[in-house]
Amino acid sequence: MKYIVALDQGTTSSRTIVFDLEGTVRAQAQQELRQYYPHPGWVEHDPAEIWSSQLATARQALAQLNPKAAEIAALAIANQRETTLLWERATGRPLSRAIVWQDRRTAGLCAQLRAQGAEAQIRAKTGLVLDPYFSATKLCWLLDNIDGARARAEAGTLAFGTVDTWLLWNLSGGRMHLTDVTNASRTQLFDIHRMQWDEELLRLMRIPSRLLPEVRPSASAFGAAAGELLGLPQSVPITAVAGDQQAALFGQACFGAGMAKNTYGTGAFILLHTGSEPLQAPGVLTTAACSALGEPPQYALEGSVFTAGAAVQWLRDELGIIADAAESERLAATVADNGGVYFVPALSGLGAPHWDPYARGLIVGLTRGVNRGHIARAALEAVAFQTRDALEPMAQAVTGGLAELRVDGGATANDLLMQFQADILGCPVLRAKTAETTALGAAWLGALGAGLTSRAALAAGWTPQRRFEPQMSAGRSAALYRQWRRAVERARGWIEA
Ligand code: ADP
């Protein structure tokens, strides 16, 4: 028996799942990760807690399994992306808490860069929009706000990293300062065409290049994790690293141009593989997809929906019209259709393709006969409509468009939502067998990096748990979507800047 250990360091928890080479879960452990909100709009993690929680789950999962050392074939990392850390090379001591991807503190810096006319250059090189979401302005903020940090960065005594880099550093006792192409592509300092750090962007963002980790393909030899750390008699090769959404794309066996996945959690993350072409599409990001050593770079288009399952949480926690998320399906099924009600859940603005921080939520189309069932249905339908909003520009960019959508995440348990998604997209929706697509993707990538599998074998072995075919007439689907677009227009720019 051979096992792959997948570390999945997420925004709200650290998890470790041990898979066998068939992709079956053999052991797992999870710990919550504490969130810090020191000011409105700021979100931080404690780097020591990221590492200790991740390590604890790895030790727990491996202890459940009690494997012989030779059976652990590889370790792979999937991680929350963009979150920014800065530490001292000599001691590994962090200079501050990590600035989490959700943190908006650098909105002013982004506005300044936009005013300097930097946006087009940034978009062309990195594939990203100018937004506090990405690491570059967060790192710049740390260098500007921590006493002496910039001088020490220039002297080469500090190291920058995203969460993968921080885990690699700690797994190797400070010997590795590495990242992979998918994580690098989210920093806003990386030229995704040349696949290297970009001197012009570094100058623009005032980031000394001595801070940066070396970038490797996602499936490649990163080094070894010390055995004693993991409670094992010998070290384990680290053969893969990828950002969580790219790992999920891999875990859905979306390896070729035109293949897409959506992960429906709190938000929704939609990625469409574009092969070895870095395509552009209006309102969505171009980003690196997982690639293996010796292959040409791989790319994807990506759109994020900020509020997906969170709209269902809002029905539960703030309106109190459902007791748990699953009840949203039963309640929505009490009405035949949305009764003309549309809920635009722009509760924290709108993401792709609108990128409108001033949009706010609205429920429109109310008449005297509208009831809780219609509101629940409108919330679920909104998840599907927003997915189409993000997917449409992507699908138009690839030849042949979208043949099917592979889906995972907590809200895919909702059959009504999945059926409506197929109806609104007009293509089949394929629900994954495992809810743990991110960890599975990391494990597969780790197996690929260790030479234990191939993409062809993984693609052949992938089967959905269930397939939802479009059933609605094209005319009705188009009419519903048209009304949705009108509702979105009314939600946009609602609060005054
Ligand atoms: P995350 O990783 O973002 O925490 P999960 O993949 O665990 O998300 O999914 C949780 C989200 O899915 C929650 O926002 C919840 O409201 C939503 N959700 C869970 N079950 C259902 C369901 N049956 N119907 C609709 N939404 C659901």
Side-chain angles (χ1 to χ4, degrees):
M1 187 56 79
K2 282 202 186 299
Y3 301 105
I4 312 281
V5 183
L7 310 187
D8 179 5
Q9 205 303 303
T11 309
T12 57
S13 74
S14 295
R15 279 187 304 172
T16 297
I17 305 188
V18 184
F19 293 89
D20 62 24
L21 291 184
E22 308 283 290
T24 306
V25 174
R26 292 308 190 110
Q28 56 181 317
Q30 176 163 357
Q31 272 190 20
E32 294 305 304
L33 181 66
R34 191 160 157 200
Q35 313 289 310
Y36 296 89
Y37 306 106
H39 301 287
W42 292 32
V43 188
E44 298 180 346
H45 290 156
D46 181 337
E49 290 173 2
I50 292 175
W51 167 237
S52 64
S53 61
Q54 190 62 62
L55 180 63
T57 63
R59 292 183 69 104
Q60 282 161 22
L62 286 164
Q64 283 165 33
L65 200 63
N66 197 18
K68 297 190 197 67
E71 294 176 339
I72 305 292
L75 184 144
I77 297 174
N79 59 283
Q80 56 162 318
R81 306 171 302 170
E82 298 103 8
T83 295
T84 301
L85 295 93
L86 186 63
W87 64 91
E88 202 173 66
R89 287 183 186 272
T91 62
R93 199 177 56 81
L95 271 76
S96 71
R97 289 209 196 114
I99 305 184
V100 177
W101 57 273
Q102 295 147 323
D103 190 294
R104 309 305 294 176
R105 80 183 65 174
T106 57
L109 188 49
C110 290
Q112 211 178 308
L113 287 163
R114 186 168 292 121
Q116 284 173 30
E119 193 165 24
Q121 179 194 19
I122 290 174
R123 177 114 167 111
K125 288 188 176 197
T126 68
L128 308 174
V129 298
L130 188 50
D131 190 273
Y133 186 7
F134 308 104
S135 315
T137 57
K138 297 182 195 297
L139 177 54
C140 197
W141 190 95
L142 290 173
L143 295 176
D144 284 338
N145 288 276
I146 300 172
D147 240 8
R150 192 170 290 281
R152 294 172 69 195
E154 273 156 12
T157 63
L158 301 183
F160 152 75
T162 40
V163 166
D164 55 313
T165 305
W166 175 241
L167 295 178
L168 288 168
W169 178 277
N170 285 287
L171 283 165
S172 66
R175 280 192 300 278
M176 283 184 235
H177 188 216
L178 302 173
T179 189
D180 91 298
V181 291
T182 65
N183 277 291
S185 77
R186 314 297 293 187
T187 59
Q188 208 149 55
L189 298 170
F190 191 70
D191 182 332
I192 59 168
H193 308 280
R194 294 182 303 137
M195 285 285 165
Q196 61 189 50
W197 300 118
D198 187 83
E199 290 300 332
E200 271 176 24
L201 292 177
L202 290 169
R203 265 199 303 280
L204 181 72
M205 307 275 190
R206 297 179 297 121
I207 309 271
S209 61
R210 299 177 79 176
L211 280 171
L212 302 176
E214 183 190 324
V215 187
R216 301 255 169 102
S218 314
S220 54
F222 284 84
E228 62 271 23
L229 273 177
L230 301 169
L232 296 171
Q234 63 191 55
S235 63
V236 179
I238 303 171
T239 57
V241 171
D244 50 12
Q245 297 309 322
Q246 282 95 338
L249 186 68
F250 200 85
Q252 290 276 23
C254 294
F255 302 141
M259 297 187 77
K261 72 92 189 174
N262 189 9
T263 301
Y264 300 79
T266 310
F269 290 91
I270 303 143
L271 271 80
L272 177 117
H273 208 293
T274 62
S276 46
E277 291 290 318
L279 299 182
Q280 294 232 2
V284 295
L285 309 176
T286 307
T287 202
C290 296
S291 53
L293 188 65
E295 286 178 346
Q298 306 284 303
Y299 297 96
L301 292 167
E302 174 174 332
S304 324
V305 169
F306 297 147
T307 305
V312 174
Q313 289 169 354
W314 182 76
L315 297 184
R316 183 194 63 191
D317 300 339
E318 311 305 331
L319 290 195
I321 62 170
I322 52 174
D324 56 42
E327 199 187 336
S328 65
E329 183 168 3
R330 294 193 294 276
L331 186 54
T334 61
V335 292
D337 56 35
N338 68 16
V341 178
Y342 290 80
F343 174 15
V344 184
L347 307 182
S348 31
L350 286 169
H354 314 289
W355 300 102
D356 184 351
Y358 306 113
R360 284 299 175 268
L362 66 75
I363 299 177
V364 68
L366 301 179
T367 54
R368 182 62 186 82
V370 165
N371 64 37
R372 305 178 318 139
H374 296 107
I375 305 289
R377 186 174 272 267
L380 295 176
E381 291 187 355
V383 176
F385 288 134
Q386 292 186 99
T387 297
R388 175 161 168 188
D389 287 348
L391 255 174
E392 214 158 58
M394 299 186 197
Q396 281 165 4
V398 286
T399 33
L402 184 73
E404 62 182 33
L405 180 66
R406 298 185 174 190
V407 303
D408 55 84
T412 60
N414 192 312
D415 290 350
L416 185 144
L417 168 59
M418 294 299 102
Q419 182 56 51
F420 189 74
Q421 185 69 84
D423 289 337
I424 284 302
L425 289 174
C427 77
V429 167
L430 279 60
R431 182 160 64 197
K433 275 188 183 153
T434 170
E436 308 298 347
T437 306
T438 301
L440 178 68
W444 279 4
L445 204 55
L448 185 71
L452 296 169
T453 190
S454 66
R455 279 199 182 80
L458 293 170
W462 190 91
T463 49
Q465 178 265 346
R466 183 167 163 190
R467 201 180 155 94
F468 295 85
E469 297 287 344
Q471 290 170 353
M472 191 180 278
S473 75
R476 169 138 179 85
S477 169
L480 288 168
Y481 187 62
R482 241 186 345 262
Q483 271 306 83
W484 160 260
R485 294 301 291 251
R486 294 182 62 219
V488 169
E489 284 316 309
R490 280 163 174 75
R492 291 191 63 171
W494 180 254
I495 58 164
E496 282 160 335

